[in-house]
């Protein structure tokens, strides 16, 4: 098992988001899918492994554009 897959397994197993929610009058509560958490961990590991000042500047340049989009806003 690689270091990356170990980190992903550890992060997703202990996440409170992958627990089943309780049922409500509107139906079953939907927990955050495991793959969504796994994707976040993969992005974090990519950042750690590829860190540079230019990469940080790239992220800072993209941030206002991401905030302007309302595609995934809730």
């Amino acid at each position: 098992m690689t270091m990356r897959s170990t980190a992903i397994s550890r992060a997703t197993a202990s996440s409170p988001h992958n627990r089943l929610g309780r049922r409500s009058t509107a139906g079953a509560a939907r927990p955050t899918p495991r793959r969504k958490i796994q994707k976040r961990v993969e992005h974090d590991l990519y950042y750690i492994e590829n860190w540079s000042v230019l990469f940080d500047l790239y992220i800072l340049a993209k941030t206002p554009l991401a905030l302007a989009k309302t595609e995934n806003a809730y």
Side-chain angles (χ1 to χ4, degrees):
M1 188 176 257
T2 65
M3 185 174 146
R4 176 178 281 235
S5 62
T6 303
I8 291 170
S9 296
R10 195 174 331 133
T12 55
S14 63
S15 174
H17 297 292
N18 67 359
R19 308 284 191 268
L20 290 175
R22 33 176 228 181
R23 294 184 70 75
S24 66
T25 56
R30 296 184 194 160
T32 302
R34 183 180 180 119
R35 66 181 169 274
K36 204 172 196 180
I37 297 167
Q38 185 172 352
K39 194 76 166 165
R40 279 191 231 154
V41 172
E42 287 174 0
H43 284 164
D44 288 345
L45 290 174
Y46 180 84
Y47 175 79
I48 292 167
E49 293 168 356
N50 299 295
W51 180 87
S52 71
V53 174
L54 288 176
F55 192 43
D56 278 353
L57 292 174
Y58 172 75
I59 292 170
L60 287 173
K62 286 190 70 169
T63 300
L65 299 173
L67 292 173
K69 287 173 52 176
T70 58
E71 182 178 313
N72 291 324
Y74 53 91

